[in-house]
Amino acid sequence: HTTTRSITWENISTGESTVEIFLERGDQFIDTISLEAPNNGSHDWTIPRTLPTATDYAVHVRDGDTEFVSAPFTIAVANITIGTSELAHNFDAAETEWSFDVWNDGTPGSHLEYQVIANQNWILLTPPSGESFGPDDRQTIDVTIIRSLLNPGRNTAEITVVSPVFGGININ
């Protein structure tokens, strides 16, 4: 899930058909938003998730020699953490099914997308991916052991709940 905001400015046309747009924090350059945005007074910007929370961000729009710098604004980063109901499970000799919950243990309303991956082919995970919008939005993962694929003796495996953006958690 990404956040997109419109950057707007008065058309500062000096004959240029495009503008350069930069993100600054205090007096420091942070990122290039666009080097060739149409000079039509508006540009949609997808805010990077990697920016730290701060109250002194500004947008700098440049058209040739004409420049505009916005008033300071805040970017607040949501706390997104993977929560699980269990970190380990031991199956008994006849047990083939188990379930656990996954949720975003961070800021309510923030969006966690995740995948659930097993490192053994004898584990079936349903569903293999999902999303959660906070601690009260728990998603159940069903685990099925396919006993016909087990090796004789003790078998061990690891299930990983991973977010492409926020890391992962292992369940043994």
Side-chain angles (χ1 to χ4, degrees):
H1 178 73
T2 58
T3 301
T4 302
R5 295 289 185 253
S6 280
I7 299 169
T8 59
W9 64 93
E10 288 187 34
N11 189 329
I12 55 175
S13 183
T14 59
E16 299 291 330
S17 61
T18 62
V19 295
E20 298 172 333
I21 307 174
F22 305 99
L23 179 66
E24 299 174 348
R25 184 169 171 211
D27 293 332
Q28 300 293 316
F29 167 84
I30 300 296
D31 196 14
T32 300
I33 295 172
S34 178
L35 290 175
E36 295 184 344
N39 191 4
N40 60 10
S42 179
H43 179 75
D44 288 338
W45 172 46
T46 300
I47 301 172
R49 294 181 181 188
T50 55
L51 294 173
T53 296
T55 60
D56 59 344
Y57 286 103
V59 171
H60 188 133
V61 179
R62 182 170 52 211
D63 172 10
D65 293 331
T66 306
E67 298 185 31
F68 164 78
V69 179
S70 73
F73 60 90
T74 299
I75 294 177
V77 179
N79 175 24
I80 298 177
T81 306
I82 298 172
T84 61
S85 56
E86 293 188 52
L87 292 177
H89 185 78
N90 291 317
F91 285 86
D92 65 31
E95 188 179 11
T96 60
E97 294 183 359
W98 170 65
S99 64
F100 66 96
D101 291 340
V102 174
W103 65 92
N104 174 3
D105 203 22
T107 306
S110 60
H111 185 214
L112 167 69
E113 294 178 28
Y114 63 86
Q115 295 175 326
V116 187
I117 303 164
N119 70 346
Q120 297 293 333
N121 68 341
W122 43 266
I123 297 178
L124 177 64
L125 301 167
T126 308
S129 63
E131 59 186 358
S132 171
F133 292 92
D136 295 330
D137 186 23
R138 293 179 175 230
Q139 307 300 312
T140 299
I141 307 298
D142 294 319
V143 180
T144 302
I145 302 301
I146 306 168
R147 293 214 169 262
S148 63
L149 297 178
L150 291 173
N151 293 318
R154 181 175 166 84
N155 290 267
T156 61
E158 188 170 273
I159 297 170
T160 304
V161 181
V162 64
S163 168
V165 176
F166 301 105
I169 232 173
N170 293 328
I171 300 172
N172 298 311

